[in-house]
Amino acid sequence: MAKKPSAHATKPKPWTEMATHLVDVAMGRKPADLVVRNGRWVNVHSGEIIAGTDIAIAGGRFAYCGPNASHAIGQGTKVVDAGGRYLVPGLCDAHMHVESGMVTVTEFCRAVIPHGTTSMFIDPHEIANVLGLPGVRLMHDEAVAMPINVHVQMPSCVPSAPGLEHAGAELTVADVAEAMTWENIIGLGEVMNFPGVVANDPVMSGEIAATVKAGKTVGGHYASRDLGLPFHGYVAGGPEDDHEGTRAEDAIARVRQGMKAMLRLGSAWYDVALQIKAVTESGIDPRNFILCTDDSHSGTLVQEGHMDRVVRHAIQQGLKPVTAIQMATLNTAQHFKLEREIGSIAPGRLADLLIVSDLAAMTIDEVYARGVRLAKGGKLEIDIPAYDYPRTAKNTVKLGKKLKAGDFDIAAPKGANEVRVRVIGVIENQAPTRALEADLPVEDGLVAMDRRNDICQIALVERHRGTGGVTNAFVSGFGYMGDCAMASSVAHDAHHIICVGTNKQDMALAVNRLGEVGGGVVLFSKGKELALVEMPIAGLMSDERAEIVAAKAEKLTEAMRKMGCSLNNAYMQHSLLALVVIPELRISDVGLIDVTTFQKVDLFV
């Protein structure tokens, strides 16, 4: 079998160094490297689809876009006949976390390029919570080496909620200021500590000021439903976008305040359908809306797609195809001050181009990035060499002891036969949880689970400093009926180990197994390991190929189903149960956290 050509990540020269050459190609004085003929140009600047268009590319940039590029064809010019198919700008994911795909930046790119993604704006705050600034640098340097545009947002909140959790590292204003000097940092990642912004916390205001001073974009994250004074104070603090809205009124409020409303369709977050009504029903200007994924599971990437899936979904909600494509291309580029580089098929821009046979279905036949064809017919045509992560990025799971079933005991108040407890309630396809309450029986002085009413146990095990600490509580929504336990070292955002189970012995086995393999996600039932996805890089990412990881993840999903869990993408829901910046109730190494008041609360009501 012939070896695929290796991808060369050499970026085209800056436009300022190429302008005269592009002019010569556009004028016919010099030949183009590539000419794509007879296409239907999806022009995101004018909102038109222009038939009979030729595109000439030179030095990795568009030189001519018009009715006839024959003057740019020379002896060495490669000519591609689009045959009347659509010419679409390469798609951009405006906000995402590579680590949620369980794979490295390299493997993520391999998975999404055939789906037409040619630009990504990644926020590596997951690895930052484990390894700090050196972890961010690792992903930054890997991103630079990619054959597509992978821009990095400097994480802003590590830990995400100071005082309510303890991460593996801490980032400072000085760290943010330093990162703003790196070549590939595009701005500040989502500012999740919205109470800190409202209270003029010096760390939050200092990070935002350093970003603005550097002329870069400040990412937002306002997860509260309160659109009163706290929301207004947050916007005044400087964040320029937000992806945490779930209702049409959320999107409208953000746009009215000068923010960009980012609408996400991830593996488990379905926030486009309701919010897009702000455009389709309320007539709000669509140029202030941006599509993104936020968190995409490896199985979703391999089986369903990436930004093509989001655009397709947006069209199904009633958007015109050109409008949906604008939200995944030009709108994103303008927001990050990159309109002269990406986001459209227009002279001077990087030659990121899709040849699409069915626009509404987003059927992508060919993918070009920087003027080079990277994929055809859904298959990657290049090889992207694996990025070598150092030993310091591995062996990060430190339990401090071998856990036993007794570590998950919850002692009832003395003399109680029944107790009323707080329960974390999972909401399918949304990031927020509900703060529930339930009456549970007491057996031999210990609070018992109630799987008949879908209440099982959740535990957070400290894994950064080897303290042996375990926080125990209850969760509802997974539907587990059999004896089982699932543990994951992916636990946004501090990334301790979260274990959810109906059997304490299985819980101990699952947590200990992650200590053995250096992190990942594992499911046990009655003492037997049913599925395992190893993630040795910071306990967050696999070093295997995306399709291998996806197959292991599918085995995990099937095992969860057999245990009674029917949630859509339950692993993603599981991994967010410690996210103490999204309401209503979460678990951390500090205890049970009420995220509506940002206070620790007792398990017993």
Side-chain angles (χ1 to χ4, degrees), residues 540-561:
L540 302 172
M541 296 178 285
S542 172
D543 51 8
E544 295 184 295
R545 290 279 181 168
E547 52 268 32
I548 295 174
V549 178
K552 291 183 176 182
E554 179 56 34
K555 184 178 179 181
L556 172 72
T557 300
E558 184 57 35
M560 294 174 75
R561 287 195 194 103

Side-chain angles (χ1 to χ4, degrees), residues 282-586:
S282 299
I284 301 298
D285 189 343
R287 295 297 290 274
N288 294 303
F289 289 74
I290 294 172
L291 297 175
C292 69
T293 64
D294 198 0
D295 298 292
S296 288
H297 187 274
S298 58
T300 302
L301 300 178
V302 171
Q303 297 160 16
E304 299 180 43
H306 189 229
M307 285 306 297
D308 58 331
R309 169 177 176 258
V310 185
V311 171
R312 189 181 307 118
H313 176 72
I315 293 169
Q316 290 168 351
Q317 306 311 311
L319 281 185
K320 293 191 301 183
V322 173
T323 304
I325 291 166
Q326 284 173 328
M327 291 182 182
T329 56
L330 181 60
N331 295 8
T332 305
Q334 290 176 331
H335 181 57
F336 289 103
K337 306 174 180 66
L338 291 173
E339 184 184 349
R340 290 300 301 263
E341 284 292 292
I342 63 172
S344 67
I345 298 172
R349 279 68 171 178
L350 293 175
D352 300 336
L353 167 74
L354 314 179
I355 298 180
V356 174
S357 52
D358 185 328
L359 199 61
M362 283 303 292
T363 305
I364 300 171
D365 298 339
E366 299 182 36
V367 179
Y368 292 80
R370 304 171 186 173
V372 177
R373 193 172 75 186
L374 303 186
K376 182 178 181 180
K379 302 293 183 183
L380 197 66
E381 291 193 320
I382 54 150
D383 182 51
I384 310 175
Y387 190 80
D388 187 23
Y389 274 78
R391 189 177 301 174
T392 54
K394 301 177 181 179
N395 301 313
T396 62
V397 177
K398 303 176 179 68
L399 299 179
K401 66 179 183 181
K402 188 171 183 178
L403 277 85
K404 300 177 181 177
D407 290 310
F408 304 100
D409 286 344
I410 299 177
K414 191 173 181 179
N417 294 317
E418 185 179 80
V419 291
R420 190 163 186 83
V421 298
R422 291 182 170 85
V423 178
I424 301 170
V426 173
I427 304 174
E428 187 166 22
N429 292 331
Q430 287 193 8
T433 63
R434 293 189 180 94
L436 306 177
E437 295 181 3
D439 295 315
L440 295 180
V442 175
E443 300 173 0
D444 298 324
L446 302 177
V447 183
M449 293 173 254
D450 184 3
R451 71 176 71 170
R452 289 179 303 174
N453 289 309
D454 191 20
I455 297 175
C456 56
Q457 197 160 325
I458 180 172
L460 186 139
V461 181
E462 200 282 331
R463 69 104 159 175
H464 297 303
R465 298 170 181 84
T467 65
V470 180
T471 303
N472 288 301
F474 295 97
V475 65
S476 175
F478 286 99
Y480 292 130
M481 296 302 295
D483 286 340
C484 65
M486 189 173 91
S488 169
S489 57
V490 178
H492 304 271
D493 276 330
H495 297 294
H496 295 291
I497 288 177
I498 286 180
C499 186
V500 173
T502 61
N503 179 284
K504 295 176 186 178
Q505 186 61 45
D506 284 334
M507 292 175 76
L509 290 170
V511 173
N512 290 331
R513 182 67 167 135
L514 294 186
E516 295 170 4
V517 300
V521 56
V522 65
L523 180 65
F524 271 81
S525 178
K526 297 180 179 179
K528 181 181 178 182
E529 181 180 299
L530 301 185
L532 170 67
V533 184
E534 304 94 329
M535 294 185 243
I537 301 172
L540 302 172
M541 296 178 285
S542 172
D543 51 8
E544 295 184 295
R545 290 279 181 168
E547 52 268 32
I548 295 174
V549 178
K552 291 183 176 182
E554 179 56 34
K555 184 178 179 181
L556 172 72
T557 300
E558 184 57 35
M560 294 174 75
R561 287 195 194 103
K562 288 181 179 178
M563 292 298 106
C565 181
S566 60
L567 278 177
N568 174 53
N569 218 304
Y571 161 74
M572 199 72 78
Q573 304 273 182
H574 175 110
S575 70
L576 260 71
L577 292 172
L579 188 51
V580 293
V581 292
I582 297 183
E584 294 177 340
L585 191 62
R586 305 281 166 168

Side-chain angles (χ1 to χ4, degrees), residues 579-598:
L579 188 51
V580 293
V581 292
I582 297 183
E584 294 177 340
L585 191 62
R586 305 281 166 168
I587 191 171
S588 84
D589 61 310
V590 171
L592 204 57
I593 306 298
D594 181 337
V595 191
T596 62
T597 62
F598 286 90

Side-chain angles (χ1 to χ4, degrees), residues 166-286:
H166 300 95
E170 184 175 346
L171 294 179
T172 65
V173 175
D175 292 329
V176 170
E178 177 188 333
M180 290 300 148
T181 67
W182 299 353
E183 65 173 306
N184 201 34
I185 293 291
I186 199 68
L188 189 65
E190 54 182 311
V191 181
M192 296 177 288
N193 184 3
F194 53 90
V197 175
V198 171
N200 280 327
D201 175 82
V203 174
M204 291 296 93
S205 58
E207 290 182 356
I208 293 170
T211 305
V212 174
K213 185 178 180 180
K216 300 184 179 182
T217 303
V218 179
H221 170 118
Y222 184 80
S224 172
R225 287 187 162 220
D226 184 355
L227 297 176
L229 291 183
F231 170 69
H232 289 271
Y234 183 74
V235 179
E240 299 172 70
D241 59 55
D242 189 36
H243 58 274
E244 288 297 335
T246 58
R247 307 165 298 176
E249 56 261 44
D250 295 331
I252 292 170
R254 284 150 176 79
V255 169
R256 284 176 176 170
Q257 295 293 323
M259 301 178 86
K260 301 298 182 186
M262 287 189 175
L263 315 185
R264 63 182 171 186
L265 178 71
S267 293
W269 325 134
Y270 285 62
D271 297 326
V272 174
L274 289 178
Q275 291 191 90
I276 206 64
K277 292 180 180 179
V279 175
T280 58
E281 296 182 6
S282 299
I284 301 298
D285 189 343

Side-chain angles (χ1 to χ4, degrees), residues 57-79:
I57 295 168
R61 293 181 180 272
F62 296 116
Y64 170 88
C65 308
N68 187 349
S70 58
H71 63 284
I73 298 174
Q75 189 172 358
T77 303
K78 181 178 180 180
V79 179

